[in-house]
Amino acid sequence: MDCIITIDINTSAVKIHAFDMNGRMLCWKKGSYPTFHPQPDYSEQDPEQIFITTLYILKNLLNEYVHPKKYKVTAICFSSSMHSVLAVDKNGTPLGNAIIWADNRGVKESEALKKHPQGESIFNTTGTPIHPMSPIVKITWIKNHDKARFDQTHKFISLKEYIIKQLTGEYVVDHSIASSTGLFDIHNLKWNQDSLDFAGITADRLSEPLSVFNTNLFLKKEYCFTLGLPAKTTLIIGASDGCLATLGAGIVGSGRATITIGSSGAVRVAGKGVLKDEKNRFFNYLLAEGYYVSGGPTNNGGVVFEWFARQFGDFSEDLDFEDVVNDLFKEAAQVKAGADGLLFLPYLLGERAPLWNANARGMYFGLNISHERKHFVRATLEGILFEMYSIGKTLETHRNFDSIYINGAYASLPLWTQILTDMYGKTIHVNDHHDSVALGTALLGLTQLGVYSNLEAAASTVKSVETYQPNPKNHEIYMKYFEIFERLSHNLKNEFEQIVALQQEL
């Protein structure tokens, strides 16, 4: 029996799945790796550790399930988180760690790009909001602050490109990942000269852009032997995780939105055209040629609740991390909507949409003597989701959507989804496959293999298994608190800048 393998290189782990040719998941494995924060606002990962983990997990999945079951691997398709930058020398050796999406060190470079004569044109051409997350800003930061590394760099690539280079020997990037760099013309599908000029590089210091359906890649002989795969195994370059999560939610047309909550989060819509916003608050990335995914991301999704759990969870009985998180959710369920007047700004990693303020910081507001740990748990959950609601509320001023589909690592948690449903005041559907990135990657690959005639046909196979209805009373409560949440987020801009300046002096 034939199968397709999907490899998703995300922020906290690599997830590798096997699907049959009908898009049904057969098995999966996961391997984790850390993010390093050597200084405030720095977020880095070790590319070698990620590659070794990817190879190890892929080999285990093949040897423990696929090969013993006599499945034939028809293709391997890739997905990855966006916005990472890794400098490599002429031998392909990494010059330090990769700088990932959560890194905010390029604040000054970001501000310079916003004020640049071509700044708005670069945004409109590339679809990538101007923010320290963007690779154009990261490369410019390296140029300005690490000249030796900049001069030694042969290629600036993403973590996905590094994995593919290790496996195949080729420097290539799919149009979807390229569209999230701030360096790529999403309309003409080529590197943008104005962007290159700002970053101080030429196109030959980037990888060759290819269609997300490209299959002109082949495993090196040593990996064919190690993995037990034929030399002509089809490798499909694939797309970015955010775009594939949208496809995996069954959304490629208008009238519907998807909310993804993993380590980070996003609210997205899809269509044949880009979303135009006079304040440049949204991204427009390529799922595939002619398919745009638009919306807003947050830095502060599940990673914030995981931070809270590690700092304030009860590990006294040698509970593992998941048990501690589940206990915290039970505490949060004991508190009514609004956390008895305790609000949380979740901006531990700065913020992207809709604030686009890398200096934003976290805060508990409204604290009084009656608040207990359970209120902090509830407020933390609600603060993360207020931010998700803020993105969707802003997005709705440009695109109408009646249906919302939720996916990601936290989509399976009922309290999480019910709070979000109450905030939006809309019905929310949970997809039948919580890992929508993996499913979207499989659907893209199966479309390329001819199983589906197009992406619309592939998306139509996605079903929802659970529906949440809003509580009108809770919605009314949340709207009152959201007014305060929104004002605090915007009105504290000067205070955010002042506290960041003090933090940087430490």
Side-chain angles (χ1 to χ4, degrees):
M1 184 183 296
D2 291 345
C3 73
I4 183 171
I5 303 294
T6 65
I7 299 177
D8 173 32
I9 305 135
N10 69 30
T11 303
S12 59
V14 58
K15 297 180 181 179
I16 302 181
H17 292 70
F19 290 84
D20 67 19
M21 302 308 283
N22 294 314
R24 182 177 66 90
M25 189 188 75
L26 301 172
C27 65
W28 74 286
K29 279 189 171 293
K30 169 185 173 182
S32 300
Y33 35 77
T35 298
F36 306 108
H37 305 283
Q39 297 183 45
D41 289 328
Y42 282 45
S43 294
E44 301 179 349
Q45 292 183 330
D46 181 348
E48 273 300 302
Q49 186 175 21
I50 292 175
F51 174 67
I52 291 169
T53 303
T54 299
L55 192 62
Y56 176 78
I57 297 300
L58 176 58
K59 185 174 182 178
N60 281 357
L61 181 133
L62 292 170
N63 289 341
E64 292 177 13
Y65 188 88
V66 174
H67 294 328
K69 295 284 187 179
K70 306 298 183 184
Y71 281 102
K72 176 187 174 183
V73 178
T74 301
I76 299 174
C77 192
F78 297 86
S79 64
S80 172
S81 299
M82 296 177 275
H83 310 306
S84 59
V85 169
L86 174 66
V88 297
D89 67 15
K90 62 183 180 180
N91 298 315
T93 303
L95 299 171
N97 286 331
I99 305 172
I100 68 166
W101 59 267
D103 194 280
N104 283 322
R105 73 184 74 175
V107 172
K108 291 182 180 178
E109 286 72 19
S110 176
E111 290 303 312
L113 180 53
K114 287 179 182 178
K115 297 173 183 176
H116 192 274
Q118 299 301 320
E120 186 164 354
S121 172
I122 287 173
F123 168 75
N124 290 328
T125 300
T126 67
T128 304
I130 298 173
H131 183 269
M133 71 169 186
S134 178
I136 184 178
V137 173
K138 292 181 171 75
I139 293 171
T140 306
W141 185 92
I142 295 173
K143 178 185 67 175
N144 292 344
H145 298 274
D146 196 347
K147 191 67 163 52
R149 177 163 50 151
F150 182 83
D151 290 342
Q152 194 180 352
T153 300
H154 175 62
K155 297 279 187 182
F156 292 100
I157 60 177
S158 68
L159 283 167
K160 180 180 180 181
E161 292 163 70
Y162 181 72
I163 300 301
I164 291 176
K165 174 64 167 62
Q166 294 299 99
L167 292 173
T168 70
E170 303 290 336
Y171 282 114
V172 292
V173 60
D174 62 83
H175 288 162
S176 186
I177 287 289
S179 74
S180 68
T181 62
L183 297 157
F184 189 71
D185 185 334
I186 62 174
H187 310 286
N188 297 303
L189 305 182
K190 63 181 182 179
W191 296 119
N192 179 44
Q193 190 60 50
D194 287 339
S195 299
L196 297 173
D197 291 343
F198 181 84
I201 60 174
T202 51
D204 61 356
R205 298 182 78 180
L206 302 172
S207 296
E208 179 188 1
L210 300 174
S211 165
V212 300
F213 296 110
N214 184 277
T215 58
N216 193 29
L217 295 169
F218 302 96
L219 287 172
K220 292 179 180 178
K221 290 182 180 179
E222 58 265 36
Y223 295 123
C224 291
F225 176 78
T226 298
L227 299 171
L229 295 173
K232 293 189 177 181
T233 300
T234 298
L235 300 185
I236 303 170
I237 193 169
S240 66
D241 60 350
C243 292
L244 289 170
T246 306
L247 176 62
I251 295 174
V252 292
S254 61
R256 296 190 290 177
T258 181
I259 296 175
T260 301
I261 307 178
S263 295
S264 57
V267 185
R268 307 181 184 94
V269 294
K272 295 288 189 179
V274 300
L275 186 154
K276 296 182 179 180
D277 174 63
E278 68 282 355
K279 296 181 180 179
N280 298 343
R281 291 171 293 184
F282 303 114
F283 57 70
N284 289 286
Y285 300 144
L286 284 165
L287 166 59
E289 295 74 6
Y291 295 90
Y292 294 94
V293 173
S294 306
T298 172
N299 284 357
N300 301 285
V303 66
V304 173
F305 195 78
E306 290 167 10
W307 163 83
F308 182 91
R310 289 190 178 94
Q311 304 307 319
F312 307 110
D314 184 358
F315 292 87
S316 61
E317 297 181 10
D318 294 326
L319 297 175
D320 63 28
F321 185 71
E322 288 187 5
D323 289 332
V324 171
V325 169
N326 289 333
D327 286 346
L328 289 174
F329 269 85
K330 290 177 183 177
E331 285 190 46
Q334 300 170 15
V335 181
K336 62 185 179 181
D340 286 342
L342 184 61
L343 275 171
F344 174 59
L345 302 188
Y347 310 129
L348 303 192
L349 292 167
E351 192 49 285
R352 292 184 283 177
L355 295 179
W356 296 107
N357 183 358
N359 289 327
R361 289 296 181 265
M363 180 180 71
Y364 289 96
F365 178 77
L367 181 63
N368 64 49
I369 197 68
S370 67
H371 288 128
E372 305 171 23
R373 186 175 74 164
K374 63 183 179 180
H375 295 100
F376 281 88
V377 182
R378 179 84 184 204
T380 302
L381 275 173
E382 291 178 344
I384 296 167
L385 297 178
F386 271 136
E387 175 60 15
M388 298 299 300
Y389 171 72
S390 179
I391 298 170
K393 173 176 172 285
T394 309
L395 188 57
E396 277 193 293
T397 63
H398 296 276
R399 293 276 181 91
N400 294 324
F401 51 86
D402 299 320
S403 300
I404 300 175
Y405 294 77
I406 187 171
N407 50 54
Y410 289 86
S412 61
L413 301 173
L415 179 61
W416 192 281
T417 304
Q418 187 60 56
I419 292 173
L420 197 58
T421 304
D422 292 343
M423 286 181 180
Y424 271 91
K426 297 177 184 285
T427 300
I428 290 184
H429 306 273
V430 179
N431 294 126
D432 57 356
H433 197 294
H434 295 314
D435 196 329
S436 60
V437 176
L439 179 58
T441 308
L443 294 177
L444 181 76
L446 292 170
T447 301
Q448 167 58 23
L449 295 172
V451 174
Y452 302 112
S453 58
N454 51 46
L455 294 181
E456 286 88 349
S460 69
T461 65
V462 180
K463 309 298 179 185
S464 59
V465 294
E466 198 169 6
T467 299
Y468 287 77
Q469 299 296 336
N471 180 316
K473 183 178 178 181
N474 285 349
H475 176 70
E476 184 178 346
I477 292 170
Y478 281 134
M479 291 306 94
K480 292 177 181 178
Y481 282 110
F482 178 74
E483 289 183 18
I484 303 172
F485 175 92
E486 192 170 38
R487 285 201 304 272
L488 287 171
S489 298
H490 289 278
N491 293 346
L492 289 173
K493 182 178 180 181
N494 291 335
E495 286 74 15
F496 287 151
E497 291 180 2
Q498 291 169 5
I499 199 67
V500 167
L502 291 174
Q503 291 173 349
Q504 291 174 343
E505 291 176 4
L506 299 177

